[in-house]
Amino acid sequence: MNTVGFRRTVRGVVEGQRFLITITSQVDDVFQFTATVEGVAVQVREQGLIRNKGDAMQLAMIAVERHVMELARKR
């Protein structure tokens, strides 16, 4: 399956914080993601190649949830 040029954006709310996730593929069958919460980039843990867009989405959601939990601890 040719995934070059794939781009999907998801917006939502977790614990009252707005997030934006973007999943892209610039190389066939290799996916990346970026995530922001309230406009601030979410720090992403180092990971290997992501070969499945579903896995990329799950990793992005985990990163967003961790970020929101850290924000709640700081308050």
Side-chain angles (χ1 to χ4, degrees):
M1 181 172 139
N2 183 0
T3 62
V4 174
F6 175 86
R7 182 180 180 93
R8 179 73 36 91
T9 301
V10 177
R11 291 178 170 86
V13 177
V14 172
E15 300 288 330
Q17 302 287 322
R18 291 177 291 168
F19 68 86
L20 173 69
I21 295 172
T22 303
I23 299 174
T24 58
S25 178
Q26 297 173 352
V27 178
D28 204 19
D29 292 331
V30 177
F31 297 88
Q32 302 113 337
F33 67 87
T34 59
T36 61
V37 173
E38 296 294 339
V40 177
V42 172
Q43 186 174 0
V44 177
R45 292 184 177 181
E46 190 72 29
Q47 70 248 347
L49 289 179
I50 304 171
R51 299 249 178 219
N52 181 294
K53 58 186 166 192
D55 290 347
M57 179 61 70
Q58 288 180 338
L59 290 168
M61 282 303 302
I62 289 168
V64 166
E65 290 170 352
R66 282 187 181 136
H67 185 83
V68 169
M69 287 174 43
E70 288 176 18
L71 289 175
R73 277 189 229 136
K74 291 179 182 179
R75 289 184 183 167

